[in-house]
Amino acid sequence: MAYQVLLFYKYVTIEDPETVKDWVKTRASELSLTGRVLVAEEGINGTLAGTYENTDMFARELLADPRFADIQVKTSGSEFDPFPKLSVKVRNEIVGTRFPKEVVDPRKRTAPHLPPEELRAWYEQNKDFVVVDMRNDYEFRSGHFKGSINPELENSRDLPEALRKLEPLKDKTVLTVCTGGVRCEKMSAFLLSEGFKDVYQLDNGIHGYMEKYPGKDYLGTLYTFDKRLTMDFGGEREIVGTCYKCGEKTEQYVNCADNSCHLHFLICGACKKDDGTYCSDACEAHVRESVHA
Ligand SMILES: [Zn+2]
Ligand SMILES: [Zn+2]
């Protein structure tokens, strides 16, 4: 593949987020990288793409900073440049949850990390545990761990509202998962703060697991927040995504052509329309009316 995509995060106190942002922006630009990086007082979270040589160089330089030395940078390939541009920003949080910092701060307290090897063993031993998928609902649709629970989050901010659905799991062994692990640091910490007794988070997320065990236990594809939309690491897999309209198996995403809706959903080849696909008759009517108005 022509491009390599880096995925990295760390919760660590950054006293000077602006300085780190400026460095990332400068170096990534010089190396012609694209992607998105967030820097906050609580840490760094990013995904960058470029040639193998340049992304490797960036990763080496990032890890040369003692604050980031133990980051486990995850990598994947892409046939094309998956990002339209480079965006590096300072934010209040590196994952937008709006949990109060007194309650949820992964630098102080978070659930223990479960290595992929352990999860594989749990599956093999038929251990009594539950996987809770902390990604957004639409990400879950194209692929997920077998038997996992989908709290149907529209956004990482929704977890407190979804908590009622997870209440029955309070005394169970719960493993939270997300794409690369950054969301679970907060999500699992939140579950602990809510009195869940035995919570783990999957080390390096689904990405890390699929790299080690392609085609195992995780069904379908992994959603990505770039032009690839989904990816895998080889291995046999079944398609678990189903068309929002007709239920046919599919892994193709589309946005509702009604810009005021913009729902992100799975669509099959037969239901996809070249002149714009709508999630509902209401959205289609909405656009048709405004055209004629
Ligand atoms: Zn369809
Ligand atoms: Zn719509």
Side-chain angles (χ1 to χ4, degrees), residues 243 245-246 248 268 271:
C243 177
K245 297 264 191 190
C246 74
E248 256 322 289
C268 76
C271 294

Side-chain angles (χ1 to χ4, degrees), residues 174-238:
V174 169
L175 173 69
T176 69
V177 302
C178 65
T179 311
V182 68
R183 285 179 274 185
C184 280
E185 300 277 352
K186 284 190 175 178
M187 302 303 228
S188 67
F190 180 72
L191 292 185
L192 288 174
S193 75
E194 289 292 320
F196 284 68
K197 305 237 160 49
D198 195 24
V199 185
Y200 296 83
Q201 57 184 314
L202 181 57
D203 197 30
N204 282 314
I206 298 164
H207 197 298
Y209 194 85
M210 288 177 92
E211 280 179 72
K212 282 230 159 78
Y213 304 109
K216 277 237 184 312
D217 308 314
Y218 184 88
L219 314 171
T221 47
L222 176 59
Y223 186 88
T224 66
F225 289 92
D226 59 57
K227 287 184 198 159
R228 293 175 296 171
L229 285 174
T230 63
M231 67 172 183
D232 71 3
F233 295 88
E236 294 266 310
R237 67 177 157 79
E238 60 178 287

Side-chain angles (χ1 to χ4, degrees), residues 7 24 40 60 118 150 172 176 252 255 269 277:
L7 190 62
V24 171
R60 269 199 306 277
E118 280 288 305
N150 175 14
K172 286 220 151 221
T176 69
Q252 195 185 3
N255 287 316
T277 307

